[in-house]
Amino acid sequence: MAAKKPAERPNASKDELLKYYREMLLIRRFEEKAGQLYGMGLIGGFCHLYIGQEAVVVGLEAAAKEGDKRVTSYRDHGHMLACGMDPKGVMAELTGRIGGYSKGKGGSMHMFSKEKHFYGGHGIVGAQVPLGAGLAFADKYLGNDNVTFTYFGDGAANQGQVYETYNMAQLWNLPVIFVIENNGYAMGTSVKRSTKSPSLWERGAAYGIKGEAVDGMDVLAVKAAGEKAVAACRAGEGPYILEMMTYRYRGHSMSDPAKYRTREEVEKMRSEKDAIEHVRDLLLQGGLASDDDLKAIDKEIKAQVNESAEFSKDSPEPPVEELWTDIYA
Amino acid sequence: MATEVLMPALSPTMEEGTLAKWLVKEGDAVKSGQILAEIETDKATMEFEAVDEGIIGKLLIAEGTAGVKVNTPIAVLVEDGESVSDTPAPKVAEAVMAAAEAPASVSAQAAAPAPAPVVAAKGWPHADLPEGPTKTMTVREALREAMAEEMRRDPNVFLMGEEVGEYQGAYKISQGLLDEFGAKRVVDTPITEHGFAGIAVGASWGGLRPIVEFMTFNFAMQAIDHIINSAAKTLYMSGGQMGSPMVFRGPNGAAARVGAQHSQDYAAWYAAIPGLKVCMPYSAADAKGLLKAAIRDPNPVIFLENEILYGRSFEVPTDPDFTIPFGKASVMREGTDVTLVSFGIGVAHALASAEELAKDGISAEVINLRTLRPIDYDTVLASVQKTNRCVTVEEGFPVGSIGDHLASTIMQRAFDYLDAPVITCTGKDVPMPYAANLEKFALITPAEITAAVKSVCYR
């Protein structure tokens, strides 16, 4: 990755930048809190944190409109917060409480919101890819102009069903944007150790799908690429691939000792490429916000996250009857 | 030396067919590879080529004749200078012509007169129909009609799968649907079960009601992750927010001599999964009533058909709103000495066995479960409480079979009523062999059921 960029003249308004700052910070603080609650034994099972990748979902949500859909893998908390789901409901799902989005029955990897058009939360690597294309199939069938953001990682990019889906998405001209969140590691296997392909987005060329690689640590670059993809998709030009070059600071899951990479590598990304620091610099150096302005936002976010944590502890466990509900409609 | 040209078997399950059209006439010289006739099989209209060179001495079967058995002589080929009278008298042919006058039971076009007498003669009873007018149709026609009616009723119902459109269905189930509903609603897919099953599940979340046709359920093994992890579990995992209103359907179980990878019964596999509903029709009425109910159901439904049953005819109610509720078994034959519980093609074997048993003075009650999730335990238990004996019949593997589950349920809920252990008649614990004799041994037969019943009756 390149060295830290000098403060550039932002091509975004003050309000936009503040919005991105706030949304990315919410995800980061939320995830830090989730990590803390996991350590306290309040969250169980698998818990995959999104810290480091915030710019991807925040930038793409900035390119979306009402009606657009999104579906992703098990590393899904950031996507939910970015599309406007309530942090209280997300955190309470993590703690397995009735106030969670799935009444405590889904967990970290399985949350949904019909209202926010968030279709999960999928634990089988790559499965969300045809599911996302299917959502786009429905929109095309119904004749609206919605698009579906279908997120998957560099690891899922080696699953066969991804390419089955590319083929049909292009064949049927489906309004789906495939977002490869390339954070460099599929659990503990680096991209270099899993593929000889120079890039993942280029594999779409075999199916005639347009795409590009994007600096996924730069929210403005993400948004710009997202707008381009969305415009093409909405105009009926079929699917589009965005390979977001990003990085996760934490392990694959809470139980990952991350021995497959050096501490220095992580530190270098944090200090030179951090997405939140980038927007912070743009705001401060562009004279669009003061240190105090940002501190006030930090405080507000911290309070919001604490509120979600309190809610997730106070919300009762699902009553035993819930064991037997929602199996059939 | 004259050569007889025989009615060919043009599909694994074809036993007879319609000689739709002769493309040659008597006296024509034919070359090897020349198309002699169009023959309608249980799957499609096929061109039939000459193997040998010669002159058409005589056409033994008139075009348009239905019900021509495989291996019946249909023409005589003579050599140059040879006369037809030199050929041996086609004594088989007369019998065939007589048989051919019986109405078609395989013609999907249904141009033939109603074959009601055939149904009765073949002994496929249907004592479980509601009051009202019925018509005779094949299981194939019933499935097609169910889909067509439901697609007319709800514009968000669509069919996708391999060869469902332009090919008109690998087994002719979707014949004509592309013409009526267009390519938007009858979607030909590439051969990519994992991918298109996932797309269909996503489409169901997006507001549509997909019907996914698997060319066979053997191929659905590639898609089983989406059937179970994506379709069956999402309603629960989302706390009731979104389910998957869709149908996965196609032929299941053994056909005829298609080998181990194409001959497996998945009934017990899918019936084990909470969140799925599972249907396994026997008759055409089952097929129509259950498929319509499945398409209307807000849950993912596994619909297990049987290739051998596709061509069989049954009475089906003409009421367009005829549906069969899930979890309601049908008592196909009442009896007092033993309860035979089956589903799908097993019902045919159970009925045949019951017929045999009656000759020995054993009165067997035959229950057709129709759905395996939910299962109608009440009907089974009530029958066992009456007969005190039970034999289950299915084509699937023995370990973890539906029969095992029923036996344990009966033991737990009706132990005191049993006069003998429950016997589970299943397919054998082997991959399906190809050899004709071995395949017969691998499958369940009426004789095995009869033996099991005699054993529980201590006869």
Side-chain angles (χ1 to χ4, degrees), chain A residues 126-153:
Chain A
Q128 73 274 24
V129 179
L131 295 170
L135 290 162
F137 181 98
D139 279 326
K140 184 165 190 238
Y141 186 101
L142 296 169
N144 60 47
D145 71 344
N146 299 331
V147 304
T148 298
F149 294 92
T150 299
Y151 294 89
F152 56 102

Side-chain angles (χ1 to χ4, degrees), chain A residues 102 112 134 141 161 164 323 328-329, chain B residues 155 192 195 226 237 241 276 299:
Chain A
S102 301
F112 303 78
Y141 186 101
Q161 61 183 317
E164 296 187 28
L323 182 63
Y328 294 103
Chain B
T192 175
H226 280 298
M237 295 193 303
Q241 287 184 75
L276 292 178
N299 299 288

